[in-house]
Amino acid sequence: MLLSVAQRDAAIVMLSGQIADAFATVFAGELIDRFGHFKLWHAGGSFLVAISFSSVFGGCLPCKILGTNSSTVQTIGYSTFAAIFNVGWAATQVSHMSMVNCITLNPTSRVALASCRNAFTMVSNLSLYAIALAVFSVYDAKQSADVKIEYRWIAYLSIFIGCCFVVIFLIGTKEPELKLQVQCKDLSRISWAHWFKKVLYYQVALVYMLTRLATNVSQALLAFYVIDDLKMNHSSKALVPAIIYICSFMVSVMLQEIRWTGWRLKAFFTGGAIFWIFSGAGIFVLPSKLQSFMYILSITIGVANALMMVTAISMESVLVGEDLNGCAFVYGSLSFLDKLSCGLALYVLESYQAGVPAAMDNHVVTAGHFSISRCGLGLIPATCALLSAIITYTIRLPDRSRTLMEPLLVGS
């Protein structure tokens, strides 16, 4: 069955943004390695994100300029702003992740910074739910036009609060001293070929790509699975992700207190992968009459996401080591694989979702019919977790252990 016009256009907008993000991460990484100035790149990327995101929720700007509501113009307009958003996000993400390696050479401190970063990512996700709850409480939408206004306010408030924290970040932080020392020594920039000759580069790239696939696909399909497959209340569409974020936050906080070695990175990542495999199996077979078990599965998913994401990013830091003149390219090129694979996976899932006949859209597992959301959420993350665990087993990481002198989030 062919995609409907709306579904096709939505898939095109999503895929165009992911492709733009994929290529932008590589170029952003290369330029950051050449010219440095992490904060400048972060500020520029944040500006593009704020402008493009507000434009998306403000309506189709090209349609207003041209005075038309053509679906083609709308698709081009939204695709353009989605691409601009993802270019800005690429600059922000790569510069911020690269700063970790230039703040310290201590492997344990790098893991602590990665776990701290992941913890506050969960805080930002939970903050978005708080903003949405506040808007829904104040503004009682009764028509579709009112719903658009609600989400527009959520977008504007999120942009405003995010910009406030970006300003605090830019004012309160300094350019990493290690990067400045490297620039002062006028060391040559590390070429791409240096990384392509390392087996560890390909191993870490696959692990990171599969980890991001697991987390991104699960986030995209979770709401559909909870509402359509398990027939849970609409409040669970917010409650289940909130539990996942809270558990991820708590695990991320605890991870920054551990003395890290290469063996421990692999062990904790494998533990997270095992959690996801069991969670995926549970999601795949869970009937709607046992829907309350989804809350238990959301806890294991939150733990799995934190364990896999923090350790996967930490493996990137191990790959970089002391080669600070090429660290941004590493994060950019690995993010290229992440964005491109996630974009293609979500596009394919959207295509198959549109092609499911109405007779099979009842999501009844006992009848042998499995929805796309059930298969996607249950099988894809679990398969990615299994493959990434196997690859992790083959990776040889150094077992050097250095103590974190000052805990980042809690007292020792």
Side-chain angles (χ1 to χ4, degrees):
M1 182 179 295
L2 295 176
L3 284 164
S4 69
V5 175
Q7 290 170 324
R8 181 202 62 194
D9 293 345
I12 291 173
V13 171
M14 181 276 298
L15 185 59
S16 64
Q18 288 294 107
I19 293 176
D21 195 351
F23 285 98
T25 51
V26 177
F27 290 114
E30 173 66 15
L31 293 174
I32 290 171
D33 281 334
R34 285 179 179 270
F35 304 108
H37 303 292
F38 294 116
K39 290 172 60 178
L40 184 61
W41 284 98
H42 189 277
S46 299
F47 175 77
L48 290 179
V49 166
I51 295 299
S52 58
F53 197 63
S54 59
S55 299
V56 168
F57 281 90
C60 177
L61 184 60
C63 296
K64 295 178 181 178
I65 296 175
L66 299 176
T68 179
N69 287 322
S70 169
S71 61
T72 302
V73 176
Q74 288 183 350
T75 302
I76 294 174
Y78 285 121
S79 297
T80 300
F81 282 113
I84 294 173
F85 172 88
N86 283 283
V87 168
W89 180 252
T92 303
Q93 183 186 42
V94 173
S95 60
H96 196 268
M97 294 178 70
S98 302
M99 287 183 72
V100 170
N101 298 289
C102 297
I103 291 175
T104 178
L105 295 177
N106 186 328
T108 296
S109 297
R110 285 180 170 180
V111 179
L113 288 169
S115 63
C116 181
R117 185 179 184 274
N118 192 69
F120 279 96
T121 300
M122 300 304 108
V123 172
S124 67
N125 291 334
L126 290 169
S127 300
L128 181 59
Y129 280 97
I131 294 172
L133 179 62
V135 172
F136 292 151
S137 301
V138 173
Y139 200 97
D140 186 18
K142 298 185 182 299
Q143 299 178 353
S144 60
D146 297 330
V147 174
K148 291 181 180 180
I149 295 175
E150 280 185 335
Y151 280 94
R152 191 169 294 171
W153 273 108
I154 293 173
Y156 291 157
L157 289 173
S158 301
I159 293 169
F160 174 75
I161 296 174
C163 288
C164 291
F165 278 97
V166 168
V167 171
I168 294 173
F169 168 76
L170 295 175
I171 295 176
T173 59
K174 298 179 180 179
E175 285 288 334
E177 294 183 1
L178 291 176
K179 184 67 173 180
L180 295 176
Q181 291 173 6
V182 170
Q183 290 176 336
C184 290
K185 293 179 181 178
D186 197 26
L187 298 178
S188 60
R189 183 182 59 84
I190 297 175
S191 66
W192 296 9
H194 170 79
W195 303 111
F196 293 154
K197 293 176 182 178
K198 289 189 173 185
V199 176
L200 182 60
Y201 174 84
Y202 300 99
Q203 292 172 318
V204 173
L206 288 173
V207 169
Y208 180 72
M209 181 189 71
L210 291 169
T211 301
R212 295 294 300 185
L213 260 177
T215 55
N216 289 344
V217 170
S218 63
Q219 287 177 357
L221 297 178
L222 183 62
F224 297 103
Y225 174 76
V226 167
I227 300 301
D228 296 335
D229 290 82
L230 298 184
K231 310 298 182 183
M232 299 178 72
N233 296 328
H234 279 274
S235 60
S236 62
K237 189 164 55 175
L239 183 57
V240 170
I243 295 174
I244 293 175
Y245 295 145
I246 291 172
C247 293
S248 291
F249 171 79
M250 295 174 63
V251 172
S252 297
V253 170
M254 291 186 288
L255 289 178
Q256 62 99 21
E257 292 293 335
I258 298 175
R259 292 182 63 186
W260 288 97
T261 63
W263 181 87
R264 285 180 179 173
L265 280 177
K266 294 169 63 175
F268 275 79
F269 182 90
T270 304
I274 293 173
F275 272 117
W276 239 126
I277 292 171
F278 281 106
S279 300
I283 289 170
F284 188 71
V285 301
L286 184 65
S288 58
K289 62 183 179 181
L290 298 177
Q291 58 183 225
S292 58
F293 279 92
M294 187 61 207
Y295 295 113
I296 298 176
L297 289 175
S298 64
I299 295 175
T300 60
I301 291 173
V303 174
N305 284 346
L307 290 175
M308 292 179 66
M309 185 55 61
V310 170
T311 50
I313 294 176
S314 300
M315 291 181 196
E316 292 183 89
S317 295
V318 174
L319 170 63
V320 170
E322 298 184 6
D323 297 329
L324 303 183
N325 267 356
C327 63
F329 170 76
V330 170
Y331 286 105
S333 58
L334 268 57
S335 292
F336 169 82
L337 297 176
D338 151 38
K339 307 301 181 184
L340 200 58
S341 60
C342 288
L344 292 173
L346 293 175
Y347 181 82
V348 171
L349 287 171
E350 175 68 21
S351 301
Y352 275 102
Q353 183 69 55
V356 175
M360 293 181 58
D361 200 30
N362 53 12
H363 312 292
V364 179
V365 180
T366 56
H369 300 314
F370 297 90
S371 68
I372 298 302
S373 55
R374 181 182 291 274
C375 293
L377 185 60
L379 298 181
I380 294 179
T383 302
C384 290
L386 175 62
L387 293 175
S388 60
I390 294 173
I391 297 171
T392 300
Y393 178 78
T394 66
I395 296 178
R396 292 185 178 182
L397 297 175
D399 284 328
R400 296 188 300 272
S401 175
R402 294 173 64 180
T403 305
L404 176 64
M405 301 306 296
E406 296 184 9
L408 298 177
L409 299 178
V410 294
S412 56

